């Protein structure tokens, strides 16, 4: 497991469209979410211990904010030839096990991850109503022990955007396993 950190180089950039297959068998693109106020793109996978530690929090976050026009979209960019646990069939199992109420998409070609300049899993991007990147950072301040979380950075960013405020707090990069490139 190679520890990597997301970067903040592309804040303000426009959202990048995609057309990817979800674990429910449907194909998703950004046009499916035009009625949402906030879009969260999270590059995740099944095997990474950093993702496994926070996946319940991501599910709970989507449930909490679903009625407020917030949409989480998870994308798995990893090469399943290197990590069979990240195969599409295993993604289906992972989504069911963790009660995903959001699309979990496979990036077979890894082109979407490359366009987003994704670095690690999890790598989290938050877009406002104008579909500009306003937050790229960690979920919270304790990926390993939820009971010790003091700062919920992602939730704070969502609240700022829903209130029409600019995110003015320091954005701390997300950390996780490196993406397993082909």
């Amino acid at each position: 497991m190679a520890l990597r950190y997301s970067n903040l180089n592309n804040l303000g950039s426009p959202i990048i469209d995609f057309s990817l297959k979800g674990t429910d068998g449907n194909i998703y693109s950004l046009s499916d979410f035009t009625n949402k106020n906030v879009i969260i793109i999270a590059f995740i996978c099944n095997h990474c211990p950093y993702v496994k530690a926070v996946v319940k929090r991501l599910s709970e976050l989507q449930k909490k904010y679903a009625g407020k026009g917030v949409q989480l979209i998870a994308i798995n960019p990893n090469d399943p030839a290197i990590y069979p646990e990240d195969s599409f069939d295993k993604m289906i199992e992972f989504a069911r096990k963790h009660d995903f109420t959001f699309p979990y998409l496979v990036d077979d070609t890894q082109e979407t991850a490359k366009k987003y300049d994704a670095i690690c899993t999890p790598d989290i991007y938050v877009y406002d109503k104008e579909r500009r990147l306003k937050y790229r950072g960690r979920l919270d301040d304790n990926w390993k022990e939820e009971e010790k979380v003091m700062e919920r950075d992602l939730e704070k960013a969502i609240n700022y955007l829903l209130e029409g405020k600019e995110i003015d707090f320091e954005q701390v990069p997300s950390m996780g396993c490196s993406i397993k490139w082909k």
Side-chain angles (χ1 to χ4, degrees):
M1 160 182 76
L3 175 62
R4 297 292 305 270
Y5 293 88
S6 64
N7 67 55
L8 304 176
N9 296 342
N10 54 352
L11 287 174
S13 63
I15 199 166
I16 300 163
D17 204 1
F18 51 80
S19 181
L20 300 171
K21 182 179 178 181
T23 54
D24 61 2
N26 294 321
I27 303 294
Y28 290 89
S29 68
L30 290 175
S31 64
D32 295 309
F33 308 103
T34 56
N35 63 335
K36 301 299 180 182
N37 297 317
V38 174
I39 300 279
I40 304 163
I41 307 277
F43 288 91
I44 69 169
C45 66
N46 304 337
H47 86 275
C48 173
Y50 296 92
V51 172
K52 287 179 177 180
V54 302
V55 71
K56 177 182 163 209
R57 288 177 251 178
L58 288 172
S59 281
E60 289 170 352
L61 188 86
Q62 177 58 54
K63 290 173 186 168
K64 179 177 181 176
Y65 285 94
K68 297 179 180 180
V70 175
Q71 182 62 58
L72 173 64
I73 303 162
I75 301 173
N76 180 356
N78 280 353
D79 181 1
I82 299 171
Y83 280 86
E85 191 176 340
D86 288 335
S87 72
F88 188 71
D89 288 340
K90 295 289 186 184
M91 287 175 60
I92 293 169
E93 291 174 21
F94 193 79
R96 284 185 186 138
K97 177 181 177 183
H98 296 288
D99 193 28
F100 283 6
T101 58
F102 51 86
Y104 187 23
L105 314 178
V106 62
D107 184 9
D108 288 344
T109 65
Q110 300 182 321
E111 289 304 312
T112 300
K114 288 176 185 172
K115 288 177 183 175
Y116 273 84
D117 192 28
I119 305 289
C120 57
T121 56
D123 202 344
I124 301 168
Y125 301 69
V126 181
Y127 293 87
D128 66 5
K129 186 80 171 158
E130 287 74 42
R131 302 303 184 244
R132 293 281 173 183
L133 182 63
K134 296 297 182 176
Y135 179 81
R136 184 173 179 193
R138 66 186 183 180
L139 175 67
D140 54 43
D141 66 347
N142 197 321
W143 70 271
K144 198 171 192 177
E145 299 173 273
E146 183 179 6
E147 66 278 0
K148 293 184 179 177
V149 169
M150 301 297 286
E151 295 289 331
R152 298 185 184 281
D153 300 31
L154 177 57
E155 194 167 336
K156 186 175 174 182
I158 293 167
N159 288 332
Y160 272 53
L161 295 179
L162 290 175
E163 294 167 7
K165 297 178 183 175
E166 285 295 320
I167 296 172
D168 62 358
F169 60 88
E170 179 185 1
Q171 297 189 31
V172 178
S174 183
M175 61 186 264
C177 297
S178 62
I179 291 177
K180 308 311 181 225
W181 300 107
K182 294 181 180 184

